[in-house]
Amino acid sequence: MMISVRDLHKSFGSVEVLKGINAEVKEKEVVCVIGPSGSGKSTFLRCLNLLEEVTSGDVLIEGTNLTDPKVNINEVRSRVGMVFQHFNLFPHRTVMENITLGPIKVKGLSKDEAKKVALPLLDKVGLSDKADVYPESLSGGQKQRVAIARSLAMEPRIMLFDEPTSALDPELVGDVLAVMKDLAKEGMTMVVVTHEMGFAREVGDRVLFMDEGIIMEEDIPENLFGNPQNPRTQEFLSKVL
Amino acid sequence: MDFITQSHYYRVMPMLLEGLVWTLLITGIGLIFGFILGAIFGFARLSKSKIIYGIATVYVEVVRGTPILAQILFIYFGLSDLLGVNIDKITASIIAIAINAGAYIAEIVRGAVYSIDKGQEEAGRSIGLTRNQTMRYIIWPQAFRRMIPPLGNQFVISLKDTSLFSVIAVGELLYMGQQYYGATFAAFEALTMVCIMYLVITVPTAVYLRRVERRLDV
Ligand SMILES: Nc1ncnc2c1ncn2[C@@H]1O[C@H](COP(=O)(O)OP(=O)(O)OP(=O)(O)O)[C@@H](O)[C@H]1O
Ligand SMILES: [Mg+2]
């Protein structure tokens, strides 16, 4: 199992945001997470690489329990890529430097070795000509594709996406989704929080519907979108579809 | 040409230039230490440890809540008394600038680091960088750029503050001017030139900073 989550609880102060999440993600599986705003989707995703401290429960990444205090969290994070809604590119570094920073500082590659890793990735996201520009000169869609390349440069085993297209102008969404689709086809294990129901339906192997800090319903896309069982799922889908 | 070389405006200059050198030395060396103090206490103010945060906050508030004139007198007379040693005037001045500017720079550092979007740290951590690497390669370079205008501003403030050291007879710019008119009674000429000397440093600095600021804005 790539990811196992058992009875995950997360509170901010006295407010419990995740109220007992159980989930598993198999190798090469693409799991999409949908649900209303504030239901805890981002918090759940961020617990998977400990950007949020877990209050109780277990999160296992390829068998490594993240809640074990002895765990080397930096090593685990280098195996788990994360793509953010607002890209979070490093503005003081060129596209190339954004991508090579991790391989150089974390994996200890030389600059040249890191560039050899980065070039095919830039090609893959369609931005070979942008290696030497700074992020500010890129469109949102280009930024997000650089962010994906930056994560991939660490050769992660798992990729987490938190609404990667929801800060983009509609006409730029397609390029980013296309890159994600390619990744899925190549067999990357992915957890994708998304408002793009079309993407979830087409690319997702499984869809989780979250509401009020728990997973209300999960199923293959055909069933969850075509024949939702839980009334909350039905209500949510009737609003967004 | 005699009317120029005979004038007080001209004759005060050698003393003022000497004073200016001391002013710049005290400001420069003081600010180097002030920057080190500011960086240490600025990061301390961002610490999760209550004790470290508390110590840094006391330092910042004490310095910002008391006049620098009291601070220099405290260091020069008070500390000498307490320790039973004579602190040299220049050393006392440098310490005073360092401690005083250190507190303001701590706030500059804290504000600049704090102003960097939280997502930057998260992105750094999520590619596997340690906390220290993230600070060093991602947060600090961005924060430092934002610190340049306020640090320049602090330079101007500290430079002007050195004039207060005339009360302990440090041979800085203002004191040298005072010495001159004490002997010649040419107060107007001497003080005019003193002010011009300050402006020669502060105005170009301000102009340069405004340019930097504009460049950082876009
Ligand atoms: N750092 C935090 N401190 C306090 N409360 C938080 C924090 N982060 C999230 N929350 C709260 O936790 C709840 C779940 O937030 P979360 O961001 O996980 O929701 P979401 O499902 O991702 O929503 P959206 O679709 O709007 O992104 C919200 O009520 C939010 O206000
Ligand atoms: Mg969210």
Side-chain angles (χ1 to χ4, degrees):
Chain A
M1 205 54 67
M2 293 298 272
I3 305 175
S4 304
V5 178
R6 298 190 203 125
D7 199 27
L8 168 63
H9 290 257
K10 170 67 189 175
S11 304
F12 292 107
S14 60
V15 183
E16 190 170 45
V17 173
L18 300 181
K19 302 171 181 164
I21 304 261
N22 291 286
E24 304 220 297
V25 179
K26 292 196 276 287
E27 185 160 12
K28 302 192 176 191
E29 202 175 14
V30 177
V31 172
C32 292
V33 182
I34 62 171
S37 183
S39 57
K41 305 181 297 292
S42 297
T43 307
F44 168 56
L45 201 69
R46 293 157 58 82
C47 284
L48 299 182
N49 68 352
L50 281 203
L51 282 184
E52 299 293 353
E53 220 171 291
V54 170
T55 306
S56 73
D58 293 308
V59 177
L60 284 83
I61 302 292
E62 293 187 289
T64 311
N65 195 337
L66 300 192
T67 57
D68 180 349
K70 288 197 295 283
V71 79
N72 179 351
I73 186 58
N74 301 314
E75 188 277 326
V76 175
R77 285 196 181 121
S78 71
R79 279 190 274 144
V80 182
M82 178 126 187
V83 174
F84 302 87
Q85 182 175 0
H86 296 289
F87 331 125
N88 298 351
L89 292 181
F90 308 134
H92 60 303
R93 291 176 171 267
T94 63
V95 165
M96 180 56 87
E97 290 165 345
N98 264 272
I99 299 174
T100 56
L101 183 69
I104 291 172
K105 299 300 174 196
V106 180
K107 292 192 156 177
L109 300 193
S110 72
K111 239 183 177 171
D112 284 339
E113 288 168 333
K115 273 190 184 169
K116 282 199 193 103
V117 173
L119 286 171
L121 291 173
L122 271 176
D123 188 45
K124 181 190 201 128
V125 299
L127 293 170
S128 296
D129 54 330
K130 300 288 188 192
D132 296 319
V133 308
Y134 284 88
E136 62 178 7
S137 69
L138 300 176
S139 74
Q142 292 171 327
K143 281 182 187 157
Q144 194 59 296
R145 285 181 280 150
V146 172
I148 293 172
R150 178 176 68 182
S151 287
L152 292 176
M154 292 304 292
E155 296 171 318
R157 304 269 294 141
I158 299 167
M159 285 284 284
L160 310 174
F161 294 84
D162 191 359
E163 302 195 27
T165 57
S166 56
L168 301 180
D169 292 336
E171 72 272 18
L172 302 176
V173 168
D175 289 339
V176 173
L177 290 183
V179 168
M180 292 170 63
K181 258 181 231 174
D182 286 346
L183 264 184
K185 253 186 238 153
E186 289 164 19
M188 177 63 78
T189 307
M190 296 166 48
V191 181
V192 186
V193 173
T194 187
H195 287 160
E196 295 287 332
M197 297 304 152
F199 178 86
R201 194 190 286 254
E202 183 187 343
V203 184
D205 295 308
R206 224 157 13 105
V207 179
L208 311 183
F209 172 70
M210 272 185 79
D211 197 5
E212 295 180 347
I214 58 169
I215 296 174
M216 289 268 178
E217 185 167 358
E218 66 171 283
D219 213 327
I220 57 170
E222 293 93 284
N223 294 352
L224 194 118
F225 289 114
N227 186 20
Q229 301 300 307
N230 190 305
R232 300 300 289 264
T233 320
Q234 293 165 358
E235 188 193 329
F236 174 73
L237 289 177
S238 73
K239 273 189 221 146
V240 298
L241 288 184
Chain B
M1 292 303 279
D2 275 5
F3 78 99
I4 295 179
T5 53
Q6 295 299 312
S7 78
H8 286 298
Y9 294 108
Y10 186 85
R11 283 168 39 198
V12 73
M13 282 309 286
M15 285 176 78
L16 293 191
L17 285 172
E18 191 192 328
L20 181 65
V21 168
W22 283 113
T23 290
L24 288 173
L25 268 175
I26 294 167
T27 310
I29 299 173
L31 282 181
I32 289 170
F33 288 109
F35 184 76
I36 295 169
L37 283 177
I40 293 169
F41 284 97
F43 280 109
R45 290 266 285 159
L46 292 158
S47 169
K48 288 203 182 90
S49 151
K50 286 235 159 64
I51 298 169
I52 295 176
Y53 171 85
I55 292 170
T57 304
V58 168
Y59 164 62
V60 167
E61 294 305 337
V62 166
V63 170
R64 296 203 308 174
T66 53
I68 186 169
L69 190 51
Q71 292 163 13
I72 178 70
L73 294 175
F74 189 87
I75 289 166
Y76 186 59
F77 295 115
L79 277 189
S80 303
D81 249 19
L82 184 75
L83 304 173
V85 290
N86 255 334
I87 303 177
D88 158 78
K89 284 173 191 164
I90 299 290
T91 310
S93 305
I94 289 172
I95 294 173
I97 288 292
I99 290 180
N100 180 268
Y104 291 94
I105 294 173
E107 288 304 90
I108 292 172
V109 169
R110 188 189 66 90
V113 169
Y114 197 74
S115 75
I116 304 300
D117 183 61
K118 199 88 181 64
Q120 291 290 307
E121 185 185 350
E122 296 184 346
R125 299 309 299 278
S126 76
I127 54 175
L129 297 177
T130 64
R131 189 182 290 274
N132 285 340
Q133 286 175 322
T134 305
M135 184 50 78
R136 179 162 160 207
Y137 299 117
I138 295 170
I139 311 293
W140 181 254
Q142 295 182 57
F144 189 76
R145 290 178 63 173
R146 292 191 192 179
M147 284 162 52
I148 292 170
L151 281 179
N153 197 36
Q154 183 61 44
F155 168 76
V156 171
I157 290 171
S158 291
L159 183 99
K160 292 187 294 182
D161 281 348
T162 58
S163 65
L164 293 166
F165 301 152
S166 57
V167 298
I168 58 166
V170 172
E172 47 69 47
L173 183 51
L174 179 61
Y175 181 77
M176 295 305 257
Q178 287 174 319
Q179 290 296 96
Y180 184 85
Y181 68 74
T184 61
F185 302 102
F188 180 83
E189 293 91 332
L191 288 170
T192 301
M193 292 315 285
V194 165
C195 289
I196 287 174
M197 301 283 265
Y198 280 114
L199 290 169
V200 162
I201 306 292
T202 55
V203 169
T205 307
V207 170
Y208 174 72
L209 287 175
R210 219 165 299 140
R211 277 222 322 255
V212 172
E213 217 160 345
R214 254 200 313 266
R215 214 173 46 228
L216 291 179
D217 265 357
V218 290

